[in-house]
């Protein structure tokens, strides 16, 4: 039987009685109320609420990419959800300004009452990292114990299940590997691209050799630098080398997925590749904003604690700073920019392929 619709009051709908009763100052409990503990509690609660919304949206994007065939009409939905996540992340970064209004001395008024509570125990933050694709082996360890050891058995099981399943990174990688058009009739994208790259490097070499305004020593130096940057291109033409870099931990994205990403980036102006391009851009936004948050949080910790160790037992600032570099998930998507060549040098696609990449609304 259908439930009868009844009216509801604002307070009840939002369960404000629970939310607004959830700010219990430990300092007050121990008889020395610290004014800024209210801000400290509220800001963490607000973060956790936004984490909840982010995970809700992220899970819906993961669900879109789970099937073997991703429905094309859903890519637009995925882009909007990722865009919302990125907008929330901007707020999360900005909120650090608010916590920074609390001075180090104000914090010391109640810090001892928090021990050993720490951001390390934010289950939702770990859930977010793992769902995006951060793997256990790629984490910076701060003790001999697993990062998940601070959680209940039930929570650890959930984290393990997410980690063993498909993260957003895994699903996007598989989707990229399935993208067609790398070889189409007589068009072999990679060999055409190699010709264009060789031509571009030869033009740059010639320009340096023929420049009259630099000394022979400077020429030598610039040619050496050009040679160094050309090495980046070697990996894209050599699957074995690419796989070696994956094994060393220098790269994460598979060879095939990397080539598809390159194709999408180079031919982004073709109508059918526009949505995949925007989707990849959103992943880069999210990765960049998470790194920005990590850096801002680390800076805030430095100014609040200096070199003091964290309540969770890490080295504090030093540990957090390292996570900003090491815990990136979509780093390989950023690095595709190294491999881009000017539009004027792009290999021409055969007309039949160009037609396939068009929406064909008109003749
Ligand atoms: C005065 C404010 C803050 C201080 C001094 C502080 C300090 C720290 C320190 C020292 C750590 C390293 C772990 C440890 O040893 O405890 C840490 C981790 C963390 N904090 Fe904060 N924090 C503050 C505010 C916040 C806020 C507002 C959030 C929002 C949720 C937050 C979320 C986290 C998270 C998620 C981690 C784990 C990071 C990782 O392992 O990558 N912190 N915090």
């Amino acid at each position: 039987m259908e439930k009868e619709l009844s009216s509801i009051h604002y307070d009840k709908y939002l369960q404000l009685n629970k939310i607004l009763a959830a700010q219990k100052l430990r300092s007050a409990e121990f008889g020395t109320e610290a004014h800024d503990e209210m801000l400290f509690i509220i800001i963490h609660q607000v973060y956790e609420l936004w984490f909840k919304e982010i995970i809700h949206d992220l899970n819906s994007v993961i669900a879109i990419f789970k099937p073997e065939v991703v429905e094309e009409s859903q890519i637009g939905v995925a882009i909007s959800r990722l865009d919302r996540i990125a907008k929330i992340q901007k707020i999360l970064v900005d909120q650090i300004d608010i916590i920074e209004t609390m001075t180090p001395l104000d914090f010391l008024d109640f810090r001892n009452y928090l021990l050993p509570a720490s951001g390390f125990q934010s289950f939702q933050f770990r859930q977010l990292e793992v769902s995006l694709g951060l793997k256990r082996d790629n984490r910076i360890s701060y003790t001999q114990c697993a990062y998940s050891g601070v959680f209940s058995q039930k929570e650890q099981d959930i984290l393990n299940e997410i980690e063993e399943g498909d993260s957003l990174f895994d699903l996007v990688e598989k989707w990229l590997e399935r993208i067609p058009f790398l070889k189409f009739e007589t068009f072999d994208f990679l060999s055409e691209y190699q010709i264009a790259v060789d031509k571009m490097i030869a033009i740059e070499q010639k320009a340096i050799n023929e420049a009259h305004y630099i000394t022979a020593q400077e020429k030598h130096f610039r040619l050496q630098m050009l040679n160094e940057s050309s090495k980046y291109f070697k990996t894209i033409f050599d699957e074995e080398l690419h796989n070696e870099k994956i094994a060393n931990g220098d790269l994460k994205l598979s060879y095939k997925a990397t080539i598809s990403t390159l194709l999408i980036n180079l031919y982004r102006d073709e109508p059918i590749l526009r949505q995949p391009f925007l989707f990849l851009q959103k992943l880069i936004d999210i990765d960049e904003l998470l790194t920005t948050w990590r850096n801002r949080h680390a800076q805030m910790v430095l100014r609040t604690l200096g070199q003091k160790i964290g309540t969770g037992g890490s080295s504090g600032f030093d540990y957090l700073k390292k996570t900003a570099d090491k815990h990136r998930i979509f780093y390989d998507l950023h690095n595709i920019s190294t491999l881009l060549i000017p539009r004027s040098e792009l290999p021409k696609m055969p007309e039949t392929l160009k037609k396939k990449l068009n929406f064909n609304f008109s003749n």
Side-chain angles (χ1 to χ4, degrees), residues 14 27 159 196 251 272 325:
L14 298 175
S27 56
L159 289 176
L251 291 174
I272 284 189
D325 281 335

Side-chain angles (χ1 to χ4, degrees), residues 44-212:
H44 280 85
Q45 287 174 338
V46 170
Y47 267 101
E48 290 293 337
L49 283 175
W50 280 130
F51 289 161
K52 187 163 184 177
E53 178 62 38
I54 291 178
I55 292 166
H56 180 61
D57 287 323
L58 184 60
N59 282 344
S60 74
V61 176
I62 289 177
I64 289 174
F65 279 81
K66 270 247 157 83
E68 269 290 305
V69 180
V70 176
E71 260 195 60
E72 277 174 41
S73 62
Q74 291 296 299
I75 304 275
V77 176
I79 294 173
S80 328
R81 301 260 161 89
L82 292 183
D83 184 51
R84 178 187 292 160
I85 292 176
K87 292 213 161 81
I88 296 172
Q89 284 179 294
K90 283 187 187 157
I91 298 278
L92 298 188
V93 173
D94 280 352
Q95 278 188 175
I96 291 182
D97 286 345
I98 303 177
I99 193 78
E100 278 180 345
T101 61
M102 179 180 77
T103 68
L105 267 187
D106 294 331
F107 186 40
L108 286 181
D109 284 344
F110 62 93
R111 186 174 186 239
N112 278 346
Y113 299 124
L114 308 180
L115 285 161
S118 153
F120 274 158
Q121 293 151 10
S122 168
F123 174 70
Q124 292 200 105
F125 187 74
R126 296 300 181 223
Q127 193 181 350
L128 170 61
E129 288 180 324
V130 178
S131 302
L132 283 172
L134 185 60
K135 300 282 182 221
R136 193 173 295 261
D137 293 345
N138 295 331
R139 283 185 184 275
I140 293 177
S141 73
Y142 62 98
T143 60
Q144 302 301 318
C145 313
Y147 79 96
S148 53
V150 293
F151 299 115
S152 68
Q153 192 52 53
K154 195 172 156 215
E155 287 169 328
Q156 291 190 35
D157 291 346
I158 296 173
L159 289 176
N160 286 340
E161 200 182 313
I162 304 175
E163 201 167 330
E164 281 156 21
D166 280 325
S167 66
L168 183 62
F169 177 92
D170 299 328
L171 292 168
V172 169
E173 182 178 60
K174 285 183 193 158
W175 171 72
L176 285 166
E177 285 170 354
R178 294 192 299 265
I179 283 201
F181 314 124
L182 293 177
K183 281 192 178 160
F184 184 83
E185 295 172 354
T186 53
F187 182 75
D188 177 353
F189 165 64
L190 207 52
S191 32
E192 300 276 352
Y193 168 74
Q194 183 156 20
I195 296 169
V197 167
D198 289 345
K199 192 174 150 205
M200 185 185 76
I201 294 174
I203 291 173
E204 286 182 37
Q205 260 168 352
K206 189 165 177 271
I208 297 173
N209 278 322
E210 289 177 359
H212 302 300

Side-chain angles (χ1 to χ4, degrees), residues 346-362:
L346 270 188
K348 287 251 172 317
M349 287 177 162
E351 272 313 304
T352 41
L353 177 54
K354 267 191 91 69
K355 268 201 184 130
K356 272 207 166 288
L357 297 175
N358 226 306
F359 291 136
N360 297 316
F361 284 137
S362 65

